[in-house]
Amino acid sequence: MSNIPPIIHKTRTQLVVEALREQILSGDIEGGEPLRQSAIAEQLNVSRIPVREALVQLEAEGLINFEPHKGATATKLSVEQVTELFELRAMIESDLLAKAIPNLTEQDIADAEAVLVQLELAFKLKESVASWSELNTRFHTRLYKAANRPHTLDVVHGLNTNCDRYIRLQLLFTGGIPTAEREHRILLELCKAGDVEKATALLHEHILSAAASITKLVEQKIKS
């Protein structure tokens, strides 16, 4: 009985948030596309109230904008946003990892590796694209938690939410999966060995290299 996962009761607002977030991150809803509350309510078979609440939450996540005379629209792809988000991630996550490594236990490493195995399996299945970012975040979080900086970790999770669609674009369209797999494995080994300097340098490069390839891709999409 102890292995049965708990039933999670989600509010209508949570369900609308998840549905819209997935459509925006997957590209089904394109940047700049208007989000009509009445159409969304009809599509998801809910009233307008949870739709309105969901849009407010997604605005806080940086996935939609409220524009005068236009209402809610999906956030457009932006080179400037990629640069800012990924530079912040490189700075904050490298610092978190440096603080975490001296505190990592064998169990922390084992937990991180278990998530990494799931991520590597998901990478092989195109139908699992929606789980890539979540598993990637869980892998890194397993390593960062040992820093005992919960507020900083919350900031990182917020940045990851905003980076999600960019990361998916990179992995799907730039052939970034083999590089990501290789670097994750090396990062885990460096953390296991307690090598703070090499681990943080790799993580910093891992994030900024992703930003460079995403920037090229976004520039191509904007031009087209």
Side-chain angles (χ1 to χ4, degrees):
M1 292 292 288
S2 61
N3 293 326
I4 299 175
I7 297 172
I8 300 173
H9 296 284
K10 296 182 179 179
T11 65
R12 282 185 173 84
T13 299
Q14 286 174 305
L15 293 171
V16 176
V17 165
E18 290 178 7
L20 290 178
R21 184 193 286 131
E22 177 55 32
Q23 289 181 61
I24 293 169
L25 295 177
S26 66
D28 288 340
I29 296 175
E30 295 186 353
E33 186 175 331
L35 300 169
R36 309 294 182 201
Q37 292 186 29
S38 56
I40 294 168
E42 185 177 345
Q43 177 195 353
L44 299 178
N45 195 27
V46 296
S47 72
R48 288 196 188 190
I49 294 172
V51 173
R52 189 160 55 244
E53 292 172 347
L55 292 175
V56 170
Q57 183 173 328
L58 290 168
E59 182 190 30
E61 293 180 6
L63 294 177
I64 70 164
N65 294 315
F66 281 100
E67 301 178 32
H69 314 299
K70 201 172 180 182
T73 59
T75 306
K76 293 181 179 179
L77 296 172
S78 161
V79 170
E80 292 76 18
Q81 187 182 47
V82 171
T83 301
E84 181 178 6
L85 289 172
F86 281 77
E87 284 182 356
L88 272 171
R89 282 190 56 210
M91 179 173 60
I92 296 171
E93 292 183 39
S94 297
D95 184 61
L96 260 185
L97 187 63
K99 289 179 169 65
I101 287 175
N103 301 328
L104 286 171
T105 65
E106 289 184 8
Q107 188 60 54
D108 291 329
I109 296 294
D111 290 345
E113 183 160 23
V115 177
L116 187 53
V117 169
Q118 292 179 57
L119 177 58
E120 289 167 344
L121 289 173
F123 276 154
K124 292 176 172 60
L125 303 169
K126 280 291 173 71
E127 61 268 27
S128 297
V129 169
S131 69
W132 289 358
S133 184
E134 181 195 351
L135 289 168
N136 183 67
T137 298
R138 279 172 56 194
F139 166 68
H140 285 281
T141 299
R142 286 288 190 275
L143 299 175
Y144 301 157
K145 278 185 76 173
N148 297 317
R149 295 292 179 99
H151 297 297
T152 309
L153 203 52
D154 284 343
V155 171
V156 169
H157 288 162
L159 290 171
N160 281 327
T161 296
N162 284 287
C163 289
D164 190 319
R165 63 178 174 164
Y166 291 117
I167 293 170
R168 291 195 202 187
L169 283 171
Q170 179 218 2
L171 293 172
L172 280 170
F173 299 113
T174 69
I177 290 176
T179 300
E181 287 184 317
R182 183 178 67 255
E183 291 179 351
H184 282 150
R185 278 286 161 190
I186 296 171
L187 181 64
L188 185 64
E189 288 304 312
L190 290 171
C191 289
K192 191 175 181 179
D195 195 328
V196 174
E197 187 176 346
K198 286 184 180 178
T200 53
L202 174 62
L203 179 62
H204 196 270
E205 180 62 23
H206 174 72
I207 294 170
L208 293 186
S209 292
S213 60
I214 293 165
T215 295
K216 289 180 184 175
L217 186 63
V218 170
E219 286 173 340
Q220 289 169 3
K221 284 187 170 287
I222 290 172
K223 286 175 184 175
S224 61

